[in-house]
Amino acid sequence: MTETVKINRGLKGVYFERCGVSDIDGSAGELSYRGYSIHDLATHSTFEEVCYLLIHGELPTETELAEFDAALRAARTVPPAVFDIIRAVKDGHPMDVLRTAVSALAALDEDSQKVGEEAFIANGLKLTAQVPVLVAAHEAIRNGRAPVAPDATLNHAANWLWMLKGEKPSADAARLADVDFILHAEHGSNASSFAARVTIGTEANLHGGIVTALSTLAGPAHGGAAEDVMKMVKEIGTPDRAAVYVKAKRAAKEAVTGFGHRVYRKEDPRARHMRDGVKKLGEEMGAPEWYEILQAVVEAMKPYARHGLNVNVDFYSGVIYQLHEIPMDLYVPIFAIGRMPGWVIQCVEQQRNNILIRPLTLYDGPEPRAYVEMDKRG
């Protein structure tokens, strides 16, 4: 090849499609869903309302929200055969179990094979309701307990905590989980959303796209930050050790988990909402020291902010899950629960004006050469 080819490794800076769902301004540290600031949504909306907004494009009326919420609650049922499959693979990592369970749903629900916008939205609503059930059921089964049945009187976030822990959460704890899901609901062409679109580009069904997204999210470079932050906090131990920890990491040219982002050059706009929640939940749970350690790390990292190393949303998420005594290997599945509506609408948008996503790689192997017969090799 004689022409000059510019390679954008990781497709960095490459626009592959138009999308009317979320807008990320990395230089300004801003995020919006359908034109609405993430700050307004995290402050005033519920996860159900944000789901409706992402999927249908507009904030719902009171009647529309009530109907959508009722449909979401009604879709929490899972075929008994899926629980049998979870029992068979219960010792696997929760992301592997979740992916397997979603594949099972595809095989057991004939509607999963339907394609088209109407089918994608209907199946997306079901999956959004079912994924928390699957995660909570696996946690119960692997610990020798029967899965906790969904409670139709509770909203999406509160019901998730109820199924996971077997006790009704406080209003504040439920609201914080709700905000967590809102903040993670959609984030442009991240790795898992892009992977889902690649799958849908082949004219696959929605369940196939979600399985692809789950497989991609499972990679530690995408979904593992919250778990790594919690490991870091436990290693630091006390607030007074944070500065020494950060200094040692920077001297060794190692990353400090929870700082920096592929897109944002300023503080992740989602982080502030989780920060306030960690402080409040820590006080409620009688464990304020976790928040104090986090803030000591933030203070120690201030000199590096000019290099784009600002706190991101996952810096606070892990501690919230820790305060609920949630096992660390469930942190990524919780991310998946929140991201479901984003994956669904990304798949819908891909399907609307579908094209096979088929980028090129620049060959840099051997020049053309003659074939060598077996007896002449070596």
Side-chain angles (χ1 to χ4, degrees), residues 132-303:
V133 178
L134 299 174
V135 177
H138 175 224
E139 173 62 8
I141 289 169
R142 70 175 177 172
N143 285 287
R145 305 190 305 268
V148 176
D151 186 334
T153 68
L154 298 175
N155 69 11
H156 194 76
N159 179 64
W160 149 246
L161 290 174
W162 155 249
M163 291 188 299
L164 184 69
K165 303 177 71 175
E167 58 186 41
K168 301 290 177 66
S170 69
D172 286 342
R175 176 55 185 162
L176 183 55
D178 197 56
V179 171
D180 183 24
F181 291 157
I182 290 171
L183 297 175
H184 284 95
E186 160 62 15
H187 211 240
S189 185
N190 56 85
S192 55
S193 294
F194 178 74
R197 293 184 75 132
V198 172
T199 297
I200 298 305
T202 69
E203 300 183 1
N205 59 51
L206 180 74
H207 282 65
I210 299 303
V211 168
T212 302
L214 289 167
S215 300
T216 307
L217 183 66
H222 183 15
E227 183 174 344
D228 289 341
V229 169
M230 199 58 239
K231 292 176 182 176
M232 176 185 71
V233 169
K234 288 187 173 183
E235 183 179 345
I236 292 172
T238 58
D240 58 286
R241 296 187 59 207
V244 173
Y245 176 90
V246 168
K247 186 176 181 180
K249 282 285 187 180
R250 298 301 299 167
K253 300 187 183 306
E254 296 177 358
V256 177
T257 303
F259 287 82
H261 194 277
R262 182 70 176 263
V263 177
Y264 295 115
R265 300 302 297 169
K266 291 189 176 180
E267 182 179 287
D268 184 332
R270 302 168 294 178
R272 73 172 72 165
H273 301 283
M274 300 306 286
R275 178 169 55 235
D276 296 342
V278 169
K279 187 175 188 298
K280 194 168 184 178
L281 186 63
E283 292 168 351
E284 177 186 326
M285 299 291 194
E289 64 274 11
W290 299 115
Y291 174 78
E292 292 166 3
I293 293 171
L294 290 177
Q295 290 310 101
V297 175
V298 171
E299 187 65 30
M301 283 294 293
K302 279 185 177 179

Side-chain angles (χ1 to χ4, degrees), residues 112 114 120 123-124 127 200 204-211 343-344 347:
S112 72
K114 297 178 181 178
F120 273 26
N123 285 324
L127 282 171
I200 298 305
N205 59 51
L206 180 74
H207 282 65
I210 299 303
V211 168
W343 287 336
V344 170
C347 291

Side-chain angles (χ1 to χ4, degrees), residues 13-37:
V14 174
Y15 291 86
F16 79 96
E17 187 58 278
R18 293 175 175 82
C19 183
V21 184
S22 63
D23 185 23
I24 305 168
D25 187 335
S27 60
E30 295 176 354
L31 169 66
S32 64
Y33 297 165
R34 300 288 194 183
Y36 293 100
S37 168

Side-chain angles (χ1 to χ4, degrees), residues 96-114:
D96 293 330
V97 175
L98 177 57
R99 185 187 66 239
T100 300
V102 172
S103 289
L105 286 173
L108 293 168
D109 184 352
E110 63 181 21
D111 287 340
S112 72
Q113 304 306 310
K114 297 178 181 178

